[in-house]
Amino acid sequence: IAGHKLRQIIRQKLHKLSAGALGQSNFILRYYGCKELEEVVFLQNYGSFVNNSFYRAFYDCHKLRVLTFGYTSVATCTFEDAFRNCYALEDFTPPCFWRNIVLSDSPQLSVESLERIIARATPPEGDTKGITITLHANAFARLSDELLAAAADKNITLTTP
């Protein structure tokens, strides 16, 4: 569907989608290589999953501008290698997550997105390693001293590659 704006809105309740024995939701490679995809909005909660894996879920989505999780989940999500080659990503509202996240291919990431990412990052209680969020240099340059302090208070390290 070249030349047409693609918009994916997931409206179903996803609490049973790909549920495994450990209550895991699997989004591995879900949108891998969808080069024309511009927006993904998850409107419903996943329920009480232990882990939602987004491994390479948005890899090579060159035109993805908006990615919104319209809920804060009690579950934790991992985004290992999820945003490689997401050059256009500017608006990202994540669910809760507790592992490192790499957004270094997304120079357009907004300050508001960075605020939401830091707000929803949830290191496990007693965690001493913290979370590392790797940003493109352009996005990193948008960080205010207040945002850096908020990240440090949550044991979050913001860095560039």
Side-chain angles (χ1 to χ4, degrees):
I1 307 178
H4 294 282
K5 177 180 178 183
L6 296 179
R7 182 174 182 175
Q8 177 71 33
I9 298 179
I10 300 174
R11 297 180 190 275
Q12 316 84 313
K13 288 186 179 180
L14 299 174
H15 64 281
K16 299 228 181 236
L17 183 66
S18 302
L22 297 176
Q24 295 183 350
S25 179
N26 182 347
F27 285 86
I28 294 172
L29 305 173
R30 177 62 52 97
Y31 301 100
Y32 187 100
C34 292
K35 292 179 178 17
E36 299 298 316
L37 185 68
E38 293 185 10
E39 182 173 355
V40 178
V41 178
F42 294 92
L43 299 174
Q44 297 291 327
N45 199 337
Y46 292 82
S48 58
F49 286 112
V50 173
N51 183 30
N52 294 304
S53 177
F54 287 86
Y55 176 75
R56 292 191 174 181
F58 305 100
Y59 193 106
D60 273 346
C61 293
H62 298 172
K63 294 183 180 180
L64 181 64
R65 291 181 311 96
V66 177
L67 176 57
T68 302
F69 290 82
Y71 60 90
T72 55
S73 176
V74 295
T76 54
C77 295
T78 59
F79 289 96
E80 184 181 350
D81 217 12
F83 303 105
R84 179 79 53 167
N85 302 327
C86 289
Y87 307 119
L89 188 62
E90 57 190 57
D91 187 352
F92 178 37
T93 303
C96 295
F97 66 96
W98 59 276
R99 296 229 175 128
N100 299 341
I101 188 167
V102 177
L103 295 157
S104 59
D105 288 342
S106 303
Q108 304 302 319
L109 207 57
S110 70
V111 171
E112 295 80 15
S113 292
L114 296 169
E115 290 170 349
R116 291 188 299 262
I117 292 166
I118 291 167
R120 290 191 176 184
T122 54
E125 191 171 320
D127 177 75
T128 57
K129 292 188 292 186
I131 295 173
T132 299
I133 301 172
T134 306
L135 300 171
H136 188 280
N138 292 359
F140 189 86
R142 292 186 196 90
L143 295 170
S144 66
D145 290 339
E146 293 82 17
L147 204 47
L148 289 167
D153 287 346
K154 291 181 77 174
N155 200 18
I156 299 170
T157 302
L158 299 164
T159 188
T160 58

